[in-house]
Amino acid sequence: MSAVALTVRADEVRSSTAAMRAAVRDLAAEHTEVWTGPFPGFADALAEVARVDLCLARLVEGHADALRILDQAGAAPRPGVYGVWASRSAGTGVGARANGTGWHLDGELRFASGIDVVDRALLPGWVDADTHLLFDVAADAVRADRDSWHTSAMDASRSFTVTASMPCGADDVVGPENFYLRRPGFLVGGLGVAAVWAGGAQSVLEQVAAGLRRFTPSAHQVRRLGVAEQAVWQARTVVAATARRLPDLDGDRLARETTAARTCVVTACEQVVDEAQRIVGPGGLSGDARLARTLADLAIFVRQHHVDLAHEAAGRHALDTREPTG
């Protein structure tokens, strides 16, 4: 059972950016021991937050990920709520140039989540194509293009394209060169995101089931609900099982198993979204604002995982693996 007690309501948290900011701050401040604690409990807590709202969970996961990164680097967090802005989508990214007193960051970065919500962000600055440093920066030091997100799905995560042009001191650098991508926790962090996806799938299931209880559902609807429940069980179970196995995994095994877990969760989420849409039909999709929002959020959120690349890598591993013969 999750150690996070949630009192916020889904409609309230999505009512305004101020409401989202207040909810994120409360969860960040009240449960630091969960966000920095053992991974099984951490993953379970993220899933519970996602049952309320996926954007809320996305921002809480970003803050928790930042705290865990800072801990791995032996650095203390500064006051406030954190995000992690590390996308290099479409060739974007922030460059880092040494100057007389430290560094100057300059460039464009997509999907900087938490604009107007978080206080600080961990941001990789690229010294060259193969070398980066991780910087702890003030979130309001970047210029955000608030017109860069053109869908209502995950809109409350405030994930905008930002432009950085700022000086940073040597004390703003977190960890050694190439720390962010090469630390073992990088792969593990992706399992935290998968826990959020799994919680979102469970939220969809619960909302659809609540709607069906208002009348006598058809046998087809009940069957499809059962398929969705099975998919949610698979998603939650694979996250929990992988989280327990983390102490025994390293190197290639860690990469393969965390990637496989994320792929399983994405597949389950896609099945839940499809079954839910078929169960409720146009009436449910157009008449239930929260369900429509959760379905749209989950559908776009899981797209950040490259399923085809994961399957290709798994296939190549299968081809390269030789079972011992007797």
Side-chain angles (χ1 to χ4, degrees), residues 231-256:
V232 169
W233 179 86
Q234 291 172 199
R236 293 295 298 263
T237 299
V238 76
V239 171
T242 308
R244 289 194 301 269
R245 284 173 50 76
L246 287 175
D248 301 321
L249 301 175
D250 57 21
D252 289 344
R253 288 182 63 211
L254 177 62
R256 286 199 308 273

Side-chain angles (χ1 to χ4, degrees), residues 24 28 32 34-37 39 42 46 57-86 113 118-124 134-137 174-175 179-180 183 185-186 188-190 192-193:
V24 173
T32 301
V34 176
W35 309 135
T36 58
F39 205 92
F42 168 59
L46 286 176
R58 166 68 189 91
L59 295 173
V60 169
E61 185 276 329
H63 173 72
D65 190 33
L67 293 185
R68 298 173 87 89
I69 292 169
L70 289 166
D71 181 66
Q72 291 162 19
R78 300 176 186 184
V81 175
Y82 274 83
V84 179
W85 298 345
S113 294
V118 304
D119 303 294
R120 305 197 64 81
L122 298 184
L123 187 156
L134 188 63
F135 292 87
D136 185 335
V137 303
V174 176
F179 165 74
Y180 175 69
R183 62 195 170 86
F186 177 76
V188 174
V193 179

Side-chain angles (χ1 to χ4, degrees), residues 7 71 103 207:
T7 58
D71 181 66
W103 298 88
Q207 292 176 58

Side-chain angles (χ1 to χ4, degrees), residues 171-194:
D171 58 344
D172 295 322
V173 178
V174 176
E177 208 173 72
N178 291 329
F179 165 74
Y180 175 69
L181 291 177
R182 292 184 180 176
R183 62 195 170 86
F186 177 76
L187 295 171
V188 174
L191 192 62
V193 179

Side-chain angles (χ1 to χ4, degrees), residues 14-316:
R14 289 296 277 265
S15 64
S16 67
T17 300
M20 179 64 73
R21 182 167 55 246
V24 173
R25 291 184 189 286
D26 287 347
L27 283 169
E30 293 175 7
H31 303 289
T32 301
E33 74 288 350
V34 176
W35 309 135
T36 58
F39 205 92
F42 168 59
D44 187 57
L46 286 176
E48 292 305 300
V49 177
R51 289 176 65 194
V52 175
D53 183 77
L54 275 163
C55 287
L56 176 62
R58 166 68 189 91
L59 295 173
V60 169
E61 185 276 329
H63 173 72
D65 190 33
L67 293 185
R68 298 173 87 89
I69 292 169
L70 289 166
D71 181 66
Q72 291 162 19
R78 300 176 186 184
V81 175
Y82 274 83
V84 179
W85 298 345
S87 170
R88 300 186 79 190
S89 173
T92 62
V94 174
R97 185 179 71 255
N99 58 29
T101 58
W103 298 88
H104 186 84
L105 302 185
D106 187 67
E108 183 180 83
L109 183 143
R110 299 179 74 191
F111 308 125
S113 294
I115 295 296
D116 306 318
V117 175
V118 304
D119 303 294
R120 305 197 64 81
L122 298 184
L123 187 156
W126 290 86
V127 180
D128 56 43
D130 301 312
T131 309
H132 67 274
L133 293 169
L134 188 63
F135 292 87
D136 185 335
V137 303
D140 60 5
V142 301
R143 186 173 75 253
D145 179 3
R146 291 173 175 78
D147 295 323
S148 57
W149 192 262
H150 296 287
T151 174
S152 60
M154 293 296 289
D155 59 346
S157 71
R158 309 289 289 175
S159 299
F160 300 126
T161 298
V162 299
T163 302
S165 181
M166 71 182 85
C168 288
D171 58 344
D172 295 322
V173 178
V174 176
E177 208 173 72
N178 291 329
F179 165 74
Y180 175 69
L181 291 177
R182 292 184 180 176
R183 62 195 170 86
F186 177 76
L187 295 171
V188 174
L191 192 62
V193 179
V196 174
W197 298 334
Q202 184 168 349
S203 177
V204 170
L205 173 69
E206 291 167 349
Q207 292 176 58
V208 171
L212 290 182
R213 293 188 193 104
R214 300 189 186 108
F215 58 90
T216 302
S218 69
H220 291 158
Q221 286 175 312
V222 173
R223 177 197 170 276
R224 289 191 178 276
L225 187 67
V227 172
E229 182 173 39
Q230 176 72 21
V232 169
W233 179 86
Q234 291 172 199
R236 293 295 298 263
T237 299
V238 76
V239 171
T242 308
R244 289 194 301 269
R245 284 173 50 76
L246 287 175
D248 301 321
L249 301 175
D250 57 21
D252 289 344
R253 288 182 63 211
L254 177 62
R256 286 199 308 273
E257 295 208 19
T258 54
T259 300
R262 282 166 57 88
T263 303
C264 286
V265 173
V266 170
T267 302
C269 288
E270 290 174 337
Q271 187 167 31
V272 169
V273 169
D274 183 61
E275 296 296 344
Q277 292 173 334
R278 294 175 187 277
I279 291 168
V280 304
L285 291 172
S286 62
D288 188 326
R290 185 188 174 202
L291 177 59
R293 182 174 68 229
T294 308
L295 286 168
D297 287 349
L298 186 58
I300 195 172
F301 199 172
V302 298
R303 291 276 66 78
Q304 74 178 62
H305 181 62
H306 299 290
V307 171
D308 289 331
L309 289 178
H311 282 153
E312 180 185 0
R316 293 191 183 281

